[in-house]
Amino acid sequence: MRRRSGGGVIFLSLLVALILSALPLPEVAQGWRPEWVVLVLLYWIVALPERIGMGVAWLMGIMLDVLEGSLLGLNALALTVVAYFSLLLYRRVRMFSWLQQALFVFALVALNQILCHWVKGILGSSTQTLMFLLPAIISALLWPWVFVLLRGVRRSFNVN
Amino acid sequence: MQLLVLSILSVLLLFADYRFQQMAQVRSVLGSMTAPIQFVADVPSKVWRWVDRMSTDYEQLHKENRELKAQAIILQREVQKMASLSAEYIRLRELLNGSELIDETVMVAEVIGVDPDPFTHELLINKGYRDRVRVGQTLLDAYGVMGQVISTDRFSSRVLLLSDARHAIPVQVNRNGLRSIAAGKGRFDELELLNLHDTEDVVVGDLLVSSGLGGRFPFGYPVAVVTKVEHDPGEPFAEVLARPSAQLARSRQVMLVLSPQPETQQAADAEETD
């Protein structure tokens, strides 16, 4: 078993993702906000599946719920499911090309958005448009950059 | 296995949060914990405003100052009239044995966050129950009613805006006292008046003010201006749309109405935890 190190770096990157999710944006850009938390979580799950898993995802979900003021458990549920699928597929994702990875990210963020949307719909507040899928596209486009950045961070701080 | 446990836990939490009032306290504690994140998230816009302030030149400030002074004089004049009018109003109320307060105390607050979800219209303000903010209090900006407080934690409170699809406010037409309910539609620039018959007297340009019915919003603050009245013979009610008076998407300096409102149970609960 490898020695674990760099927990602080992981924590910080997740914290930054939370801050980015709460960053005030102009009204026009509101619908275009990428799902930072999903992106960062996904990277760490694929890179270190034995350390970061569904438990961390669930906790991040609760934090996100509190930040967004949505019902407690909404994002927690969605992120747990997302984490489950990434844990299931992380070996393949490591072998994927950029395009395949981006598609994978699109699918997972879309899953996250759809789950949130469903639960909201069941509890009585929903909209008719498909606008809620926009973040999935943006997140997929951003994935290569997030990946390269976090890989750089992981290597320079020797997180494993 | 873990998936199952965590999913069930989430669903239970969802259910508890949806059904039980007590969860407000859990949320409030968690909210205090995430306050630093909100604070940091607000830093970029703070810095931007600071840079903006530093870079306005003398000429511009001078011009703005002149305009503000002119505006102050105009407002002062209206206040002069207000004094005598409100005295008269109170005298008349006394004649009718009314005990309505004409003015409420307000507290200035600042918007520190906007809900990241584009489908909910909520704001975060920098006053919490430490500053006597209670669930149900009304939020105003310089132009009219913005919304109401729906949850508080120690340092901040969450406000539901008029325009949210879950929100509705009792209003009356200022011109003739016609009562209605203005419901949000999930758009910042549009409210809908519910259940107005085709024959009711409402026209484009009518000012809607809060009617104070329902005991949540104080009476008499501007809410919206009617922008569209459409009569469809096939529909039982007229379609009436209005534009909110308050700058829901732009205001940063806001006011909370503090005067004694009929207390809700939740407000009383929050009192006890102080």
Side-chain angles (χ1 to χ4, degrees):
Chain A
M1 179 129 186
R2 284 184 296 181
R3 229 188 99 250
R4 294 177 162 197
S5 62
V9 175
I10 301 178
F11 176 76
L12 263 181
S13 66
L14 288 172
L15 195 66
V16 169
L18 278 179
I19 291 171
L20 285 173
S21 313
L23 207 65
L25 285 181
E27 198 196 330
V28 213
Q30 279 280 321
W32 299 78
R33 182 197 299 273
E35 286 294 322
W36 294 109
V37 175
V38 179
L39 286 176
V40 175
L41 257 180
L42 202 61
Y43 175 78
W44 289 118
I45 289 176
V46 171
L48 304 165
E50 68 281 355
R51 288 190 71 175
I52 304 296
M54 284 183 265
V56 176
W58 190 81
L59 279 179
M60 291 298 289
I62 293 289
M63 299 284 277
L64 207 54
D65 284 329
V66 175
L67 274 180
E68 289 186 357
S70 49
L71 281 170
L72 272 184
L74 178 71
N75 281 299
L77 178 67
L79 282 180
T80 309
V81 175
V82 166
Y84 172 75
F85 279 109
S86 358
L87 278 173
L88 211 63
L89 298 168
Y90 73 91
R91 287 190 193 82
R92 276 183 235 181
V93 176
R94 286 178 184 172
M95 298 296 128
F96 279 172
S97 69
W98 286 118
L99 188 64
Q100 284 171 313
Q101 282 194 359
L103 284 175
F104 178 69
V105 170
F106 174 80
L108 280 191
V109 177
L111 177 71
N112 178 64
Q113 299 298 99
I114 290 171
L115 279 174
C116 286
H117 202 68
W118 273 352
V119 176
K120 273 190 210 158
I122 293 169
L123 300 179
S125 68
S126 74
T127 39
Q128 298 299 323
T129 61
L130 280 174
M131 279 283 285
F132 68 92
L133 284 177
L134 264 182
I137 300 169
I138 305 296
S139 303
L141 292 177
L142 269 176
W143 169 252
W145 282 272
V146 173
F147 182 83
V148 168
L149 182 74
L150 284 176
R151 189 176 57 185
V153 167
R154 184 166 72 88
R155 288 187 179 158
S156 57
F157 287 96
N158 207 10
V159 184
N160 51 46
Chain B
M1 187 58 212
Q2 208 184 353
L3 174 73
L4 206 63
V5 172
L6 289 176
S7 300
I8 291 174
L9 202 58
S10 311
V11 173
L12 282 180
L13 259 180
L14 271 172
F15 182 72
D17 200 15
Y18 187 58
R19 290 299 291 273
F20 304 120
Q21 297 294 326
Q22 286 86 335
M23 287 297 285
Q25 283 169 25
V26 179
R27 181 176 280 281
S28 148
V29 171
L30 286 169
S32 303
M33 272 161 52
T34 53
I37 297 180
Q38 296 279 12
F39 178 79
V40 175
D42 193 41
V43 166
S45 60
K46 273 213 176 89
V47 170
W48 171 248
R49 267 175 292 136
W50 183 79
V51 170
D52 194 41
R53 209 169 52 228
M54 288 296 128
S55 59
T56 45
D57 58 1
Y58 174 80
E59 200 57 37
Q60 209 177 339
L61 280 176
H62 192 68
K63 188 165 157 255
E64 196 178 315
N65 194 2
R66 223 167 38 222
E67 280 168 8
L68 285 175
K69 271 185 181 151
Q71 204 179 4
I73 287 177
I74 293 169
L75 290 175
Q76 285 277 333
R77 187 196 65 88
E78 278 171 19
V79 170
Q80 284 172 19
K81 263 200 319 197
M82 266 297 284
S84 67
L85 280 176
S86 62
E88 188 179 331
Y89 178 78
I90 290 170
R91 271 200 304 280
L92 288 169
R93 296 287 317 185
E94 276 168 355
L95 283 177
L96 294 166
N97 271 336
S99 59
E100 196 173 337
L101 287 170
I102 188 165
D103 205 6
E104 292 88 2
T105 45
V106 294
M107 171 169 65
V108 176
E110 198 176 331
V111 175
I112 54 169
V114 180
D115 197 297
D117 183 349
F119 300 109
T120 60
H121 291 181
E122 288 176 15
L123 295 178
L124 213 64
I125 56 173
N126 67 345
K127 294 281 193 288
Y129 65 68
R130 200 187 48 166
D131 314 285
R132 294 186 296 143
V133 179
R134 297 291 177 265
V135 170
Q137 280 173 348
T138 303
L139 193 78
L140 308 169
D141 73 355
Y143 307 99
V145 179
M146 291 186 81
Q148 57 176 304
V149 176
I150 51 169
S151 74
T152 60
D153 59 47
R154 204 168 175 71
F155 307 106
S156 61
S157 308
R158 201 165 269 279
V159 177
L160 187 66
L161 292 179
L162 294 182
S163 54
D164 190 282
R166 293 166 294 165
H167 193 276
I169 173 175
V171 294
Q172 65 183 47
V173 176
N174 197 35
R175 183 165 53 85
N176 54 15
L178 174 68
R179 289 185 302 272
S180 178
I181 289 173
K185 300 183 72 188
R187 297 182 43 167
F188 280 116
D189 57 350
E190 215 168 73
L191 301 178
E192 188 177 16
L193 289 196
L194 304 177
N195 307 344
L196 274 179
H197 282 285
D198 270 340
T199 51
E200 301 282 23
D201 175 21
V202 54
V203 293
V204 171
D206 271 347
L207 176 68
L208 305 169
V209 298
S210 52
S211 69
L213 298 177
R216 177 136 294 196
F217 293 94
F219 165 77
Y221 285 102
V223 173
V225 177
V226 176
T227 52
K228 184 183 165 200
V229 182
E230 201 168 278
H231 301 288
D232 182 348
E235 299 286 331
F237 299 113
E239 187 197 357
V240 183
L241 298 179
R243 182 171 36 77
S245 307
Q247 301 192 328
L248 298 181
R250 269 175 291 167
S251 284
R252 190 147 184 115
Q253 301 294 331
V254 294
M255 285 168 283
L256 270 167
V257 178
L258 287 182
S259 71
Q261 291 286 307
E263 291 227 326
T264 59
Q265 190 54 42
Q266 254 178 329
D269 286 347
E271 204 89 59
E272 282 164 21
T273 55
D274 266 6

